[in-house]
Each structure stands twice: as C-alpha cells, then as structure tokens.
Amino acid sequence: MPIMAARHYNQGKLVRELGPDDIIPEDCDTGDFFWLGLFEPTPEELAGIAKRFGLHPLAVEDALKAKQLPKVEVYGDQLFVIAATGNREGDTIQSGETAIFLGRHFIVSVRHGSARAHTEVRARLETLPAKLAHGPDYVLYAILDFIVDGYFPVIDGIEDQLLALEESVMDTPLDAEEIRHLYGQRHEIIRFQRLVGLMKEVAWRLVHAEDLPWIDDAVRPYFRDIWDHVQRAEFRLSGLREITASVVETNSLLEQQRQGVITRQLAAWAAILAVPTAIAGIYGMNFQFMPELGWQLGYPYALGLIFGGSALVFWRFKHIGWL
C-alpha cells in the first residue's frame, strides 16, 4: 500500500495513527481532520481513498499522472494543488510533483518522483498543536513550505560549482567537454526556473484568491511567506543563468587574448627571421660585380649584419611586450 502515513487529529493533537484496515468515519466532529500521505499510488489504490473523500475524478487523474505543472484548482468544495519538487542528482535537477487534496476535514498528499518524504513536517507539526489546530489549510502551508525550502540546497550546490568554475577559467581555459557540460547546466537551470516561476503563481493565488475553499484568513499570511521564498529562489536562479553566461563570455575573451598573444609572438619571430633571410638572400644572388665579394671582411660583415639586425629587432619586440 502506498500510504506512507495516515493520522487522525483533533484540535491539533494526534488522536490515532490509522492502519490499512482502519475505517475513516464519514462524519467528523468540529476540530477533527485526517492527514494521509501517499507515494506513487496505483489507480486502484487511489480509487478507494478518492471514493471515501469524494475526490473529483479530474483531480484524481492529474494526481496519478507524473510530470504535471504546478497549479491551483477548485473542484466544488475542495481545493486541489500541484507543487513542483526539486532534487539534485549529480549534474541534473530531478523534478517531481506533489498533488494535494484539501477538504474541510482532510488533506491528502500524493508524491511522485520526490525523494523527500513529509515525515519531518509531520513530526514538527505534532510538536506544535496550536499551529496544527488551524486545520488542514495550515498543513497545506507546511507541506508547500517544506517543498520550497528544498529548492535552496539544489541552488546552493549549482552555485558553488559555477563559482568554482568561474574562478578556474581565469587560469585554465575550458575544453569542449566542459563547455558542453556548462550549457547542459544552463538548460537545467532554465527548466527548473520555469517550474519555480509557476510555483510563485501558485503561492500568489493562495494568498490573494478569494474563491479558494477552506483557506482561512488567519492562514493566508503564511502563504505570503511561501511566495517570498519562491521569489528569492527565482531571483537566485536568474543569477545562476547570468553566471553561466559570464563564464562562457570570460572564457571566450581570455581565449581571444591568449590567441592574440600567440599571434603577436609568431609575428615577432617572423620579423626576426626576416632579417637573416633578407641579408642571406641578397648575398646569395649570383651577380658578378658586387663590392663585398672581393672584400676580405665581407663574410664577418654579413654575419654581423645578420646577428646585429636580428638582435635589434628582438630588443624592439621585447620592449613593446610582444616577446
């Protein structure tokens, strides 16, 4: 059975933990609510829970499908929310989703592809009965806050890697494999930023929409905190995109500068070699009447011109920084 946890609360206090064979009563007292957490259920497994709580078929269909985009939907007197989760595995960001059904006396969460269970959230809330007494809408806030807080370790890991790469590129140029990897990281950031942007819309609607059932005014300020966290995550992802662009641009500029240095050095040595080539070319011509041919010091004189001229050109290029 995919039920990771099923618990009954009253006035914020745990009444009992439900087993697979326990029957959830049809009628609930004031202050009662049930919290069920499911992980990748089959259609048959979710059908029984949907029948018990009267979940809308379209919402159930969305909850069963993976790769759903974040959204908020109202089905009669029930609220349906899909939130995007993020987890970094190696150099890729593995996205998942958590579908949440919210009713007057219940909250049901269905996780797909999320490596982080809600055990931590549940344990923390059970130590805060005054908060849990708000009801299922506060549990919805706690789950969404837990999901959004999970974005920041992903962002921190990518940021540390990109900053280290930005520093190393000043000393060592990127090779083709590193550039391909960098562009792959950029695509991961863009894809994740798109999901985070949709999560910001979800949080905004939970704060401001007046037609959402079972969201009390006392709980709405908590959703504003989620919106603020999502906005910061989106801002940092924009910064990561700028860092990737900066690394590529810096690497390109440094590579052009290195190529310019090499080009100047080659040009300088070509100019130096041109001096003996020119002198040897002149004295290698087979003219009968050349003044230096009958001169005893002609050979030392030619060598002096070659070495002296080459040394002068070398000094000049060294002086202007080309060598």
Side-chain angles (χ1 to χ4, degrees), residues 156-275:
D156 290 340
I158 298 175
E159 185 178 53
D160 291 342
Q161 186 179 31
L162 290 179
L163 289 177
L165 185 62
E166 189 177 35
E167 292 180 4
S168 67
V169 77
M170 301 299 295
D171 300 319
T172 307
L174 302 179
D175 57 27
E177 182 62 29
E178 289 174 324
I179 293 176
R180 282 194 294 269
H181 175 265
L182 186 61
Y183 273 103
Q185 286 286 88
R186 186 171 183 270
H187 292 161
E188 291 288 321
I189 293 170
I190 293 173
R191 183 175 58 84
F192 190 52
Q193 186 180 18
R194 188 180 301 117
L195 292 176
V196 171
L198 293 174
M199 280 296 295
K200 188 167 72 170
E201 295 179 8
V202 168
W204 182 263
R205 188 173 179 191
L206 291 172
V207 172
H208 297 283
E210 300 293 337
D211 60 337
L212 303 181
W214 316 122
I215 301 293
D216 296 337
D217 291 338
V219 179
R220 286 187 185 273
Y222 293 102
F223 292 110
R224 187 177 298 113
D225 180 65
I226 293 177
W227 182 86
D228 179 67
H229 288 179
V230 176
Q231 187 179 35
R232 287 196 289 116
E234 186 181 37
F235 176 77
R236 290 188 61 187
L237 286 169
S238 298
L240 294 182
R241 290 179 61 180
E242 293 178 2
I243 291 176
T244 57
S246 173
V247 171
V248 173
E249 182 180 359
T250 301
N251 182 72
S252 177
L253 291 175
L254 290 175
E255 189 63 27
Q256 292 177 15
Q257 189 268 340
R258 294 185 187 100
Q259 290 178 357
V261 170
I262 294 173
T263 301
R264 289 195 298 270
Q265 290 176 343
L266 292 175
W269 283 111
I272 293 172
L273 292 176
V275 174

Side-chain angles (χ1 to χ4, degrees), residues 23-311:
I23 299 176
I24 300 174
E26 295 288 342
D27 299 324
C28 298
D29 297 332
T30 302
D32 277 341
F33 76 89
F34 297 89
W35 181 358
L36 277 70
L38 291 79
F39 180 71
E40 298 182 356
T42 64
E44 294 76 15
E45 291 168 337
L46 187 56
I49 296 173
K51 182 179 180 181
R52 162 60 188 87
F53 291 108
L55 306 180
H56 196 279
L58 293 178
V60 172
E61 182 181 350
D62 284 345
L64 286 171
K65 293 179 180 178
K67 305 301 180 183
Q68 294 288 307
L69 295 177
K71 65 178 180 178
V72 177
E73 298 286 352
V74 177
Y75 293 100
D77 63 344
Q78 295 179 5
L79 183 65
F80 180 63
V81 179
I82 290 183
T85 61
N87 182 50
R88 190 162 182 248
E89 295 184 5
D91 292 328
T92 62
I93 301 175
Q94 298 295 333
S95 60
E97 58 279 332
T98 298
I100 304 171
F101 301 88
L102 180 69
R104 181 178 182 180
H105 293 291
F106 69 88
I107 181 168
V108 178
S109 63
V110 181
R111 292 188 295 121
H112 287 279
S114 174
R116 301 172 71 225
H118 299 157
T119 307
E120 176 185 337
V121 181
R122 192 176 296 104
R124 178 170 55 83
L125 290 182
E126 289 177 356
T127 64
L128 303 170
K131 298 292 187 182
L132 201 55
H134 283 291
D137 52 350
Y138 188 85
V139 176
L140 172 63
Y141 152 73
I143 293 175
L144 293 179
D145 184 60
F146 177 74
I147 290 173
V148 171
D149 285 346
Y151 295 163
F152 292 98
V154 176
I155 296 173
D156 290 340
I158 298 175
E159 185 178 53
D160 291 342
Q161 186 179 31
L162 290 179
L163 289 177
L165 185 62
E166 189 177 35
E167 292 180 4
S168 67
V169 77
M170 301 299 295
D171 300 319
T172 307
L174 302 179
D175 57 27
E177 182 62 29
E178 289 174 324
I179 293 176
R180 282 194 294 269
H181 175 265
L182 186 61
Y183 273 103
Q185 286 286 88
R186 186 171 183 270
H187 292 161
E188 291 288 321
I189 293 170
I190 293 173
R191 183 175 58 84
F192 190 52
Q193 186 180 18
R194 188 180 301 117
L195 292 176
V196 171
L198 293 174
M199 280 296 295
K200 188 167 72 170
E201 295 179 8
V202 168
W204 182 263
R205 188 173 179 191
L206 291 172
V207 172
H208 297 283
E210 300 293 337
D211 60 337
L212 303 181
W214 316 122
I215 301 293
D216 296 337
D217 291 338
V219 179
R220 286 187 185 273
Y222 293 102
F223 292 110
R224 187 177 298 113
D225 180 65
I226 293 177
W227 182 86
D228 179 67
H229 288 179
V230 176
Q231 187 179 35
R232 287 196 289 116
E234 186 181 37
F235 176 77
R236 290 188 61 187
L237 286 169
S238 298
L240 294 182
R241 290 179 61 180
E242 293 178 2
I243 291 176
T244 57
S246 173
V247 171
V248 173
E249 182 180 359
T250 301
N251 182 72
S252 177
L253 291 175
L254 290 175
E255 189 63 27
Q256 292 177 15
Q257 189 268 340
R258 294 185 187 100
Q259 290 178 357
V261 170
I262 294 173
T263 301
R264 289 195 298 270
Q265 290 176 343
L266 292 175
W269 283 111
I272 293 172
L273 292 176
V275 174
T277 301
I279 296 174
I282 292 174
Y283 282 93
M285 294 185 293
N286 295 320
F287 291 111
Q288 183 177 0
F289 302 103
M290 291 183 67
E292 296 84 356
L293 292 180
W295 186 25
Q296 186 177 3
L297 298 178
Y299 180 68
Y301 174 72
L303 291 179
L305 284 178
I306 290 175
F307 288 110
S310 298

